[in-house]
Amino acid sequence: QVQLQESGPGLVKPSETLSLTCTVSGGSIDNYYWGWIRQPPGKGLEWIGYIYYSESTNYNPSLKSRVTISLDTSKTHFSLNLNSVTAADTAVYYCTKGDSFAYFDSWGQGTLVTVSS
Amino acid sequence: QSALTQPASVSASPGQSITISCTGTNSDVGKYNLVSWYQQQPGKAPKLIIYEVNMRPSGVSSRFSGSKSGSTASLTISGLQAEDEADFYCCSYAGSRTSMVFGGGTKLTVL
């Protein structure tokens, strides 16, 4: 059973870049879709994007100009970079795994990132 | 405003059944059989309970079932238990440009 664990700074300043890493354990990174979903406090879920093990990517159009998802060459973790952040980017960020691009069958526990000066 | 529309809340007593609707358009729910449902208990990460409209992952109770008619997908929970109390979210593929869209979530209260 694959396990996912997010890590990264819990506080980011406005206009800076939010960077998170998701460590994958208990399984191979090959043949799956690896992604990020976020949830502002007290609100619903928002899909950010995914990377396939072949390194093709797909992003939410509303975030596409600011988002990059990448796979580590060792293929033990993947990362999220979101630049030019504002308070609206404050959320719990979850990393996910999917057998298909169309659903998310494993989730990390989530990490709260607050954007504030 | 979410792309998919769900009722904000539903409630029922233990043992009863409830259905949560998820209304989209003919560009997402109506076009693709790629609707999934997630259960999120307080303070926890969401959990996949239905994928591809009506498929249940291994280990998910058979009390959870999914269906779709036109541009509306539905999640039915039968034999409600106190432990079912949670927020439920639907999600659909919406084509290569938009990709994935979520509903706003439904809070289930077991009375």
Side-chain angles (χ1 to χ4, degrees):
Chain A
Q1 177 78 0
V2 167
Q3 293 190 324
L4 307 175
Q5 178 67 59
E6 304 90 351
S7 59
L11 181 64
V12 180
K13 289 182 168 54
S15 80
E16 295 190 345
T17 297
L18 179 160
S19 296
L20 295 175
T21 295
C22 182
T23 300
V24 181
S25 60
S28 170
I29 210 161
D30 290 342
N31 297 317
Y32 297 119
Y33 293 80
W34 306 94
W36 294 89
I37 290 169
R38 68 182 184 180
Q39 184 172 34
K43 296 187 178 180
L45 301 170
E46 179 180 30
W47 177 74
I48 298 173
Y50 69 71
I51 186 165
Y52 190 44
Y53 80 103
S54 63
E55 304 200 33
S56 64
T57 55
N58 196 8
Y59 301 128
N60 186 325
S62 70
L63 300 171
K64 188 172 184 176
S65 64
R66 300 194 290 131
V67 171
T68 303
I69 298 175
S70 58
L71 265 179
D72 180 75
T73 52
S74 69
K75 294 196 172 181
T76 60
H77 61 268
F78 60 101
S79 300
L80 168 70
N81 278 346
L82 179 67
N83 60 38
S84 305
V85 297
T86 70
D89 295 309
T90 294
V92 174
Y93 285 76
Y94 296 100
C95 59
T96 65
K97 164 194 163 286
D99 289 353
S100 155
F101 63 87
Y103 57 85
F104 320 105
D105 51 57
S106 294
W107 296 63
Q109 65 184 31
T111 187
L112 174 63
V113 179
T114 302
V115 178
S116 175
S117 55
Chain B
Q1 187 171 354
S2 301
L4 306 179
T5 301
Q6 299 180 233
S9 63
V10 296
S11 61
S13 299
Q16 292 186 322
S17 296
I18 62 97
T19 297
I20 299 172
S21 61
C22 170
T23 301
T25 69
N26 56 14
S27 296
D28 40 60
V29 175
K31 187 170 183 179
Y32 304 99
N33 288 325
L34 294 174
V35 176
S36 53
W37 290 89
Y38 302 85
Q39 177 187 38
Q40 185 178 32
Q41 291 174 319
K44 295 196 171 183
K47 172 189 173 185
L48 176 68
I49 55 174
I50 295 289
Y51 65 98
E52 293 174 358
V53 176
N54 56 13
M55 302 298 291
R56 261 190 322 275
S58 173
V60 172
S61 172
S62 58
R63 298 185 299 105
F64 294 92
S65 62
S67 62
K68 189 183 87 166
S69 177
S71 297
T72 297
S74 298
L75 172 71
T76 298
I77 310 174
S78 59
L80 271 177
Q81 301 177 359
E83 68 203 45
D84 297 332
E85 192 161 284
D87 293 327
F88 291 85
Y89 292 91
C90 64
C91 181
S92 176
Y93 180 63
S96 59
R97 296 188 69 181
T98 307
S99 203
M100 308 305 297
V101 291
F102 279 97
T106 298
K107 182 176 182 60
L108 168 62
T109 300
V110 181
L111 301 170

